[in-house]
Amino acid sequence: MAAGRKRDAAATRSAILASARRAFARSGYDGAGVREIAEGAGVTAMMVNRYFGSKERLFAAVIADVMAGPSILTPENLDAADLAARMAAILVDITKAGDTPLDGFLIMLYSASSERAADIGREEIERHYHRTLTAALPGDLAAERAGVLLAIVAGMQVMRQMIGLPALAGADPEVLRKLLEPVFAQLLSKPFQHKD
Amino acid sequence: MAAGRKRDAAATRSAILASARRAFARSGYDGAGVREIAEGAGVTAMMVNRYFGSKERLFAAVIADVMAGPSILTPENLDAADLAARMAAILVDITKAGDTPLDGFLIMLYSASSERAADIGREEIERHYHRTLTAALPGDLAAERAGVLLAIVAGMQVMRQMIGLPALAGADPEVLRKLLEPVFAQLLSKPFQHKD
DNA sequence: ATGTGATGTCTACAAGCGTAGACTTGGAGG
DNA sequence: CCTCCAAGTCTACGCTTGTAGACATCACAT
């Protein structure tokens, strides 16, 4: 058991949740073991099941916890005039290499090969990210444009953090921002019209 | 053993490779089991190790096989004037939902949570995709632009096929092409200059 | 036809997984 | 001080995994 804490149910629960978040972000749903998660929280494996019922329920709790945290799509960002620039800056910052406090998107990507985990992830992405972004986009094809935007965000996380493509993982953040901003601006642009 | 084939080493090897490709594309490196792969090829699990040495070596062989196949980055595509439109069209087609013959990119994404698999994947993406695309890009920051382009390709695969985001998975292909083409065009554009 | 080596199968092992139930220990209320 | 329930640990089961070695079987060359 962790030295600093003794028999505090709420604290133990938080410790397990935090450890699980780290573990899932590092190894994905399948890769992270219950014993490993428990050790990271300073308890035994059985406490995970005592507090969360099962590994699957723990994963769902982690995703819910992550979703409750800050994201690119905060209301003040969505209403800002320079949304494209903000999105680019935040995305580049979030996906910087090393032991970044990874956000939930990455956890879901790592876990997407597990069918159950992918289901949970799709549901949460849909509800939390896609719906919000779609609603904020003026013009035609808002849902599709929001989808492409999320795909770009996902792709940057994949390439910078999961694969670790050197050209992206080691790139100058300023350069990446300059590259991404016009891309975002194009998809976000207000007078988007479906012309054909 | 498969009914149609009898004691043909080359055919058995191909069958295992093909089955492994399907299995890895469906479940990722960790998710796909050797027994499952073997069954898909109509043999026993031990044949996998006999022909490929280990699961890890099998995975490397699958990636190599996939890389040898067709991709977006064929020379005639890279030289074409309408590269952006071609990339958009091919990407949308490749990532269409259902039991598509998935390309290697997706296998690597599914397997990225395994450290060894991610290493193999990064190496191959770097060598096969990123280097080729970088060389084909005129203007400044070719490596970074190529990286962002690959990230978008990866993101579309993730969102359409892994997560299955409805807005993308169920979208009209024509619409997606129209959305992606200007994005690609912007990153591919010849007179790209790093201005600051 | 008859060895003989390649081809494929069977059984099994050691390790790790998620999970369950019985057990022990701590800390607060009487 | 003593009790008692929550908090936490221990041991273990059943399963799956990748892999190893011994065994069987088919096809071809002599």
Side-chain angles (χ1 to χ4, degrees):
Chain A
M1 200 167 111
R5 188 186 71 251
K6 34 182 189 176
R7 289 185 161 282
D8 183 335
T12 300
R13 206 192 121 98
S14 311
I16 293 174
L17 200 63
S19 172
R21 181 167 171 166
R22 287 192 302 270
F24 285 140
R26 195 186 325 118
S27 319
Y29 181 79
D30 283 333
V34 175
R35 287 170 177 81
E36 166 195 357
I37 292 172
E39 190 183 2
V43 293
T44 54
M46 267 314 291
M47 298 309 296
V48 170
N49 274 21
R50 177 182 281 282
Y51 279 98
F52 293 92
S54 69
K55 185 186 181 183
E56 184 177 315
R57 302 251 298 276
L58 170 63
F59 183 77
V62 167
I63 296 298
D65 177 60
V66 158
M67 289 299 181
S71 84
I72 300 186
L73 305 180
T74 60
E76 69 263 24
N77 274 334
L78 287 175
D79 289 343
D82 58 343
L83 176 53
R86 289 194 186 208
M87 280 188 68
I90 296 178
L91 176 57
V92 171
D93 187 56
I94 277 182
T95 60
K96 66 172 178 280
D99 45 2
T100 313
L102 306 163
D103 89 350
F105 230 77
L106 192 57
I107 294 181
M108 288 183 274
L109 296 182
Y110 267 128
S111 306
S113 54
S114 280
E115 201 167 336
R116 274 305 288 129
D119 287 344
I120 295 173
R122 169 177 45 249
E123 167 83 14
E124 293 292 337
I125 289 181
E126 174 98 19
R127 259 206 357 236
H128 202 84
Y129 290 115
H130 186 252
R131 199 161 299 178
T132 309
L133 186 53
T134 299
L137 292 185
D140 279 348
L141 303 172
E144 288 85 349
R145 286 155 60 210
V148 172
L149 281 165
L150 290 181
I152 296 176
V153 172
M156 286 294 293
Q157 299 223 11
V158 165
M159 280 304 181
R160 291 195 84 193
Q161 302 187 299
M162 291 174 62
I163 304 290
L165 189 73
L168 287 184
D172 176 10
E174 185 64 25
V175 166
L176 291 182
R177 273 199 294 275
K178 281 215 167 76
L179 287 177
L180 288 171
E181 189 192 325
V183 169
F184 286 153
Q186 187 161 52
L187 290 165
L188 290 168
S189 66
K190 187 173 188 119
F192 201 98
Q193 294 301 332
H194 185 199
K195 52 193 184 308
D196 62 336
Chain B
M1 202 165 109
R5 189 185 72 251
K6 34 179 189 174
R7 288 186 164 272
D8 182 336
T12 300
R13 207 192 119 98
S14 311
I16 293 174
L17 201 62
S19 172
R21 180 167 173 165
R22 288 193 302 270
F24 284 139
R26 196 185 326 118
S27 318
Y29 181 78
D30 283 332
V34 175
R35 286 170 177 80
E36 166 196 356
I37 293 172
E39 189 184 2
V43 293
T44 53
M46 268 314 292
M47 298 308 296
V48 170
N49 274 20
R50 176 183 282 282
Y51 279 98
F52 293 92
S54 68
K55 186 186 180 183
E56 184 178 314
R57 303 252 297 275
L58 170 65
F59 184 76
V62 167
I63 296 299
D65 177 60
V66 158
M67 289 300 181
S71 83
I72 300 186
L73 304 181
T74 60
E76 70 264 21
N77 274 334
L78 287 176
D79 289 341
D82 58 343
L83 176 53
R86 288 195 187 206
M87 281 188 68
I90 296 178
L91 177 57
V92 171
D93 187 56
I94 277 182
T95 60
K96 64 171 179 280
D99 45 2
T100 313
L102 307 163
D103 90 348
F105 229 77
L106 192 57
I107 295 180
M108 289 183 273
L109 297 182
Y110 266 128
S111 306
S113 55
S114 280
E115 201 168 335
R116 275 305 288 130
D119 287 345
I120 295 173
R122 168 176 46 250
E123 168 84 12
E124 293 292 337
I125 289 181
E126 174 98 20
R127 257 203 4 232
H128 201 83
Y129 290 114
H130 186 251
R131 197 161 299 179
T132 309
L133 186 53
T134 300
L137 292 185
D140 280 348
L141 303 173
E144 287 85 350
R145 285 154 60 209
V148 173
L149 279 164
L150 290 181
I152 295 176
V153 172
M156 286 294 293
Q157 298 222 10
V158 165
M159 280 304 184
R160 290 196 84 191
Q161 302 188 299
M162 290 173 64
I163 303 289
L165 189 72
L168 288 183
D172 177 10
E174 185 64 24
V175 166
L176 290 182
R177 274 199 293 275
K178 282 216 166 75
L179 287 178
L180 287 171
E181 189 190 327
V183 169
F184 286 153
Q186 187 161 52
L187 290 165
L188 290 168
S189 66
K190 187 173 190 120
F192 201 98
Q193 296 301 331
H194 185 199
K195 51 192 185 312
D196 61 337

